[in-house]
Amino acid sequence: MKKEVTGAQALMLSLIEEGVDTIFGYPGGAIIPVYDALYDFRDKVNHILARHEQGATHAAQGYARVSGKVGVSLVTSGPAATNAITGIADALLDSTPLVVIAGQVGTSLLGTDAFQEIDVVGITQPITKWSYQIRHAKDITWAVARAFYIARNGRPGPVMLDFTKSAQNEMVEFDYKPCTFIRSYLPYPEIRENQIDKAAQLINEAKKPYALVGQGVILANAEKELIDFLEKADIPAASTLLGLSAMPSDFRLNKGFLGMHGNVAPNMKTNECDVLIAIGMRFDDRVTGDLNTYAKQAKIIHMDIDQSEIGKNVPVDAPILGSVKESLPALTAKINSAKHTDWIDSFGEYDKQEYDAVIRNEVYRTEGELTMGEVVNKITEATKNKAVVVTDVGQNQMIAARYFKYTETRSVVTSGGLGTMGFGIPAALGAKVGAPDRTVCLFAGDGGFQMTMQELGTIMQENLGVKIILLDNRFLGMVRQWQELFFDERYSFTHMKNPDFVAIAKSYNIDSRLVTKREELDDAIADMLKDDKPYVLVVEVEQKGMVYPMVPAGSCVTNIIM
Amino acid sequence: METKLYTITVFSENTVGVLNQITIIFTRRGLNIETLSVSPSALPGIHKFTITLFTTPDMVEKVVNQIDKRVDILKAYYNTDEDLVFQELALYKLATEKVLELGSVEYFIRKYNIRVLEISNDCTVFLKAGHYAETQSLFEELSEKVGVLQFIRSGRIAITRSKVERLSDMLEEMQKIQEKQNGNRKV
C-alpha cells in the first residue's frame, strides 16, 4: 500500500533512497516546506547550515571530492539560487557530482517576476549537466532519481533541481524507483578493441613514453589500474592539478606536477617524449600553454570518458573513449613489459635544476622572511603526508599543489577549472564532513579567506576540525606576481589592509595563532595538530613572494621562468 | 580557415528548454545560426532540429560533440550539402492589383514552379519550395516587377542521401549496451 505524502516529504524520502545522509543548505521562503519535512528526518540526515549559499555548494563539493559520493545542497529561490551559481559552475568545470535543490515560486506565479523568482533553469543550463524544474509532485521521484543518476555516472557533474513551492505542497503517492537507464545518455561508452590495439601498438613501439594523469583516474576509482599500467611498461607519469594524489607522491614513476606552475621536468618532457598518453585529463590551457608548440613531436593517445574532450584542444592519434577503469586494464593487457631506465633517469637533470633555482630557496630557507613553500612543507611533514589538502585559489594554491605530498588518493580539493577564490573555507569544511577521520588542511591566502570567511560560523556551529593555514602576504599575490612580471610592477589595487585574523577566529571561538618568525613555526604547527578541533594558523609570509617555475600564459611549455 | 555551410541535425527528447541547451553552445563560441527548423520526428516524443551555419570543419566537429554530450540529446551529427537532399519553403505576399497589372502570372509559375495559395482583393500569396538561391532569385524578380508586401522563408529541412537513418536502431543499441552494463556494474 503506497502512502500519500507531501511533495516536500517525497523529496526527503527520495534523498534517503539515494543514500543521502548529509545536506549543506540554507533555508528561505520558497523552500520552507522542504525544511519542515527535513525536521522529521534529523536522525537520518545531517543538515549543515552554511552562512551563504555559495558556501553551501562549495561545501557539498568538498564533501563529494573526498568521499566520492554525490554532494547535496538545499537552498531557496531567487538570490539563494544565484548565490549557489558559483559552486555549480565550479563543479561543472571540475566534474564534481553535485545535486543542488533550489526552491522556486509556485507554478501559478512562474514567469510573473514574483518575489524571489528567477529563471533558474535558464541560468543554470550552461553550467550544469542537467537542470530540471519540478512543477508537480508526481514528478519528484522521477526527477530526483534521474538527478542522482546523471550527477554520479559517466563524467560526473552538477545537476540543478528547481523545485516549485506548489509541488512541495501537493500530495502524492510515494513510490521510488532508482534510475538505471536514460535512452538519450550513455554514461559509459563501450571500449573499442581497435582503439586499444592502436594505442598499445604506439606504446609498444615507444622509446620515450610519457603519461599525463588527470582527475578521471580518481573519479573512476582506477588508481590501482593506473599503477599496474605504468609499471608494466615502465612509463613515467605526471599529474594535472586535479590528478594530484591519484598516484602516491613517492611512487617511483610519479614525476610530479604539470602546468603553469608545475615541475620543470614534467613540462619539458612533454615536448621530448615520443608517445604522450593522456589519462582522464582534458588538456586545459594551464597545462598545455601554447597549443601550436605543444607535444608536436609525439604521437598522442587520449583516454577519456567524454567524447567532446577528444580532439577539443589537442589533435589525437589514438583516442580511447570510455572509463579508464575499463580502458586501462584493457590497454595494460595489450602492452609489452618494458624498461625505460635512461628515459626515466633523464627527468632527474631537470629536477636538479628546479631544486637549485627554486626549491632550495622556497622550501629550505634559513634566514629572511617566511615563505609559503616552507609552511606547506612543514605541514605535509607534520601530517606524514596523510592529510587531505584543500586550497583556495592563487599563490597559496599553486604552492600547496607543488609542495604538499600524498600517500592516499582523494587527498586534494582545489578549484582547478573555475579558479574560484573563496572556495577554500567552505570546501574544507565539506571535506572534513566527508572524511571525518582524516586531517584536513586548508591553505588560503588573505584575499580568498576574506571572500567566504563567514563560513567560520559553520565550522564553529558544527565543531569541524578543519586546520586553516592562512598564508598572509597582504597582497592578492598571484595578480601581484603578474603585475610584477608583465605589468611593470604597477600594483593596481592588489595591496590589502587586513583585519586581525586571530581576533576574527577567536570571535568564532576557534583557536588561532599568529606566526611571524621561522622559529615559531614548528611549535605553532604542533599546537594546531594536537587535537581534532578547528584551528586558524595565520602565517605572515613574505609580501612579494613569487611562485616559480612559471610558464607564462599562452607560452610554450618549455619556456619556463625560474 | 575557410568556412562553409554545414547542416547540423539533432534528435532530442521533447522537454522544456532543449532549444536553449543547444543554442547556448553556439553562443559560447560566438557562432551565428543561419537557419533553424524544429519539428516532431518520426518517433513519438523525439524532436528533430535542423540547424545550418557557416563555420570551419574543426569548429563544427567540436560544436556537434558538445551538443551530443547534453543529456537530453539523443544524437547530433553534421553534413555538408553534398550529403543531403534539402529544401526550404518561401511565401510571398503581393498586392493583387499589382499582379493583375502584369497581365499574366504564367511566366512566374512556369519559370519558378510556384504554387498560388491565395488570391483575394487584398493580396495574392505565392509559395515556392527550393534552395536558398532559388527562393531568393524569385524574391528579387518579384520585388522588381510587382513589389513584395511580405516575405518569409523557412529554415532548412534535410535528409541524408546515405542509407536510411535509423534512430530507432541506435536507441535499441544504446538500451542493449546499458542493460549489459547494468548487469556488470552496480549502478
Side-chain angles (χ1 to χ4, degrees):
Chain A
M1 170 86 188
K2 293 165 196 164
K3 58 178 173 181
E4 277 240 318
V5 296
T6 66
Q9 289 168 325
L11 174 75
M12 289 313 304
L13 292 165
S14 302
L15 293 177
I16 284 164
E17 291 280 345
E18 288 294 334
V20 175
D21 56 14
T22 307
I23 294 176
F24 301 90
Y26 204 106
I31 199 73
I32 291 179
V34 172
Y35 269 85
D36 188 62
L38 171 62
Y39 202 66
D40 293 327
F41 288 92
R42 283 169 296 164
D43 57 330
K44 292 199 178 72
V45 176
N46 179 23
H47 178 276
I48 290 163
L49 177 65
R51 292 298 181 269
H52 185 284
E53 291 86 356
Q54 182 188 353
T57 47
H58 289 327
Q61 287 182 274
Y63 173 87
R65 292 271 283 271
V66 297
S67 69
K69 292 191 259 184
V70 178
V72 179
S73 178
L74 180 64
V75 302
T76 189
S77 65
T82 56
N83 283 344
I85 294 291
T86 306
I88 297 168
D90 197 291
L92 182 76
L93 284 173
D94 284 351
S95 309
T96 307
L98 210 61
V99 171
V100 179
I101 302 149
Q104 179 58 285
V105 300
T107 49
S108 64
L109 293 172
L110 286 170
T112 66
D113 300 327
F115 179 64
Q116 293 191 331
E117 188 214 355
I118 199 79
D119 175 12
V120 168
V121 169
I123 289 175
T124 56
Q125 270 181 339
I127 53 165
T128 52
K129 206 171 156 186
W130 189 57
S131 185
Y132 185 77
Q133 185 173 66
I134 302 173
R135 290 179 214 98
H136 299 289
K138 66 179 168 48
D139 297 333
I140 293 168
T141 53
W142 174 86
V144 172
R146 203 169 147 105
F148 278 82
Y149 177 83
I150 291 168
R152 71 162 71 97
N153 284 293
R155 179 176 178 179
V159 171
M160 184 85 204
L161 291 177
D162 184 35
F163 193 10
T164 60
K165 197 165 180 179
S166 45
Q168 295 172 37
N169 289 325
E170 273 174 25
M171 297 303 288
V172 67
E173 281 186 355
F174 182 75
D175 180 19
Y176 200 78
K177 289 187 198 69
C179 175
T180 55
F181 172 69
I182 296 175
R183 68 175 177 179
S184 57
Y185 175 52
L186 182 63
Y188 301 100
E190 290 279 271
I191 306 294
R192 289 182 222 154
E193 274 309 303
N194 61 335
Q195 294 190 335
I196 298 286
D197 290 343
K198 187 169 180 201
Q201 190 188 345
L202 288 175
I203 293 170
N204 287 336
E205 289 164 3
K207 300 276 185 291
K208 296 187 282 186
Y210 179 36
L212 309 182
V213 175
Q215 193 194 203
V217 171
I218 296 170
L219 293 171
N221 301 314
E223 294 88 349
K224 185 182 178 302
E225 288 79 0
L226 171 69
I227 301 289
D228 291 347
F229 166 74
L230 297 174
E231 283 192 323
K232 184 170 182 187
D234 203 30
I235 300 170
S239 285
T240 65
L241 178 62
L242 266 60
L244 288 172
S245 85
M247 302 176 279
S249 299
D250 63 358
F251 174 50
R252 180 177 64 88
L253 295 167
N254 184 352
K255 294 296 165 193
F257 171 42
L258 285 164
M260 182 177 274
H261 295 289
N263 296 115
V264 174
N267 285 328
M268 296 296 292
K269 292 297 175 182
T270 306
N271 278 10
E272 291 178 25
C273 63
D274 57 4
V275 173
L276 190 67
I277 310 147
I279 308 172
M281 59 84 77
R282 60 182 176 88
F283 292 109
D284 180 78
D285 59 275
R286 287 298 191 261
V287 163
T288 64
D290 176 21
L291 286 169
N292 296 318
T293 57
Y294 184 79
K296 290 295 174 196
Q297 82 294 343
K299 294 281 187 204
I300 292 178
I301 299 168
H302 191 178
M303 310 171 78
D304 205 286
I305 198 165
D306 181 351
Q307 170 80 56
S308 76
E309 289 298 347
I310 291 173
K312 186 182 81 176
N313 294 335
V314 172
V316 176
D317 298 285
I320 302 179
L321 183 65
S323 168
V324 294
K325 184 82 179 169
E326 295 163 55
S327 59
L328 274 172
L331 189 55
T332 305
K334 292 268 172 76
I335 58 173
N336 302 332
S337 291
K339 277 285 164 209
H340 297 289
T341 311
D342 290 348
W343 164 237
I344 292 166
D345 289 348
S346 71
F347 282 67
E349 184 53 36
Y350 292 121
D351 289 344
K352 190 173 172 309
Q353 281 177 23
E354 183 178 348
Y355 184 87
D356 291 341
V358 177
I359 297 173
R360 180 182 295 141
N361 189 46
E362 176 68 34
V363 179
Y364 302 103
R365 204 183 281 191
T366 52
E367 54 192 27
E369 292 179 288
L370 281 160
T371 67
M372 291 188 186
E374 65 184 302
V375 179
V376 171
N377 185 56
K378 292 263 188 202
I379 289 170
T380 195
E381 281 177 0
T383 56
K384 301 187 173 63
N385 307 332
K386 285 185 176 147
V388 172
V389 63
V390 184
T391 80
D392 209 87
V393 166
Q395 290 186 320
N396 61 85
Q397 176 186 35
M398 290 297 106
I399 293 286
R402 286 180 52 76
Y403 299 115
F404 215 82
K405 295 191 169 57
Y406 317 99
T407 49
E408 292 175 44
T409 186
R410 291 190 179 275
S411 292
V412 180
V413 180
T414 188
S415 170
L418 195 63
T420 307
M421 278 178 72
F423 176 81
I425 299 176
L429 78 87
K432 185 63 185 174
V433 175
D437 298 330
R438 296 185 67 186
T439 302
V440 173
C441 295
L442 163 67
F443 293 96
D446 43 311
F449 185 92
Q450 292 182 80
M451 281 194 174
T452 49
M453 67 182 178
Q454 72 280 2
E455 299 302 335
L456 292 175
T458 314
I459 291 172
M460 170 180 67
Q461 185 162 352
E462 299 291 328
N463 193 29
L464 297 167
V466 179
K467 310 299 183 184
I468 300 174
I469 300 100
L470 175 51
L471 302 168
D472 179 9
N473 61 2
R474 288 78 72 206
F475 264 112
L476 300 174
M478 189 58 94
V479 179
R480 193 210 60 78
Q481 174 166 343
W482 284 45
Q483 288 171 335
E484 178 176 333
L485 290 173
F486 313 119
F487 292 88
D488 209 16
E489 298 183 46
R490 286 155 57 88
Y491 298 129
S492 184
F493 301 100
T494 42
H495 172 66
M496 278 195 146
K497 184 170 181 182
N498 284 330
D500 179 345
F501 290 116
V502 172
I504 286 172
K506 288 193 169 160
S507 75
Y508 283 100
N509 208 21
I510 295 172
D511 281 346
S512 181
R513 190 157 151 182
L514 172 69
V515 169
T516 56
K517 297 193 184 70
R518 185 160 287 111
E519 48 277 19
E520 300 164 347
L521 188 58
D522 286 335
D523 188 50
I525 291 171
D527 188 42
M528 174 176 77
L529 296 174
K530 69 181 184 297
D531 55 27
D532 198 31
K533 290 186 188 155
Y535 199 100
V536 177
L537 177 62
V538 184
V539 186
E540 266 186 24
V541 295
E542 57 181 343
Q543 276 204 294
K544 294 188 180 173
M546 304 286 277
V547 185
Y548 286 129
M550 179 177 189
V551 180
S555 183
C556 176
V557 284
T558 59
N559 175 23
I560 301 173
I561 310 174
M562 279 198 274
Chain B
M1 217 183 293
E2 209 175 312
T3 66
K4 66 193 273 192
L5 187 71
Y6 289 91
T7 302
I8 296 176
T9 307
V10 181
F11 289 97
S12 85
E13 295 292 357
N14 180 21
T15 56
V16 174
V18 174
L19 178 58
N20 187 45
Q21 293 187 52
I22 296 170
T23 56
I24 54 183
I25 291 166
F26 292 87
T27 309
R28 270 184 84 181
R29 290 183 177 270
L31 296 169
N32 254 337
I33 290 173
E34 200 64 25
T35 73
L36 168 68
S37 149
V38 190
S39 58
S41 76
L43 292 173
I46 295 177
H47 267 53
K48 185 170 177 174
F49 295 68
T50 307
I51 304 161
T52 63
L53 81 162
F54 285 96
T55 189
T56 61
D58 184 51
M59 184 66 90
V60 73
E61 174 89 34
K62 288 172 186 178
V63 164
V64 164
N65 275 333
Q66 285 180 327
I67 295 171
D68 205 19
K69 172 176 166 172
R70 298 298 305 181
V71 167
D72 291 323
I73 303 299
L74 292 137
K75 188 72 200 155
Y77 54 81
Y78 67 92
N79 297 98
T80 49
D81 287 356
E82 310 85 80
D83 309 330
L84 298 169
V85 177
F86 57 96
Q87 192 68 298
E88 292 172 359
L89 282 180
L91 297 176
Y92 307 75
K93 185 161 98 180
L94 315 168
T96 303
E97 59 194 54
K98 298 265 173 129
V99 176
L100 294 176
E101 276 171 23
L102 277 175
S104 167
V105 293
E106 186 190 352
Y107 163 77
F108 285 104
I109 291 174
R110 286 194 187 283
K111 180 173 176 191
Y112 289 101
N113 197 22
I114 58 174
R115 289 181 63 197
V116 180
L117 295 185
E118 170 75 321
I119 303 174
S120 69
N121 285 334
D122 294 328
C123 71
T124 296
V125 177
F126 288 176
L127 175 150
K128 166 149 186 68
H131 289 178
Y132 179 89
E134 297 167 320
T135 55
Q136 185 64 20
S137 115
L138 173 60
F139 174 74
E140 281 161 14
E141 190 164 355
L142 284 172
S143 297
E144 187 192 319
K145 295 186 173 154
V146 193
V148 178
L149 298 176
Q150 278 183 40
F151 171 60
I152 178 75
R153 181 158 36 216
S154 74
R156 170 182 287 199
I157 54 171
I159 47 181
T160 52
R161 289 182 192 277
S162 61
K163 60 188 175 202
V164 206
E165 163 193 279
R166 300 308 293 246
L167 185 67
S168 51
D169 290 352
M170 192 207 86
L171 289 177
E172 235 169 72
E173 183 65 16
M174 284 206 24
Q175 178 138 17
K176 269 190 214 142
I177 292 172
Q178 291 211 12
E179 277 168 6
K180 189 182 92 186
Q181 290 181 351
N182 287 348
N184 300 340
R185 186 186 283 112
K186 193 168 162 277
V187 177

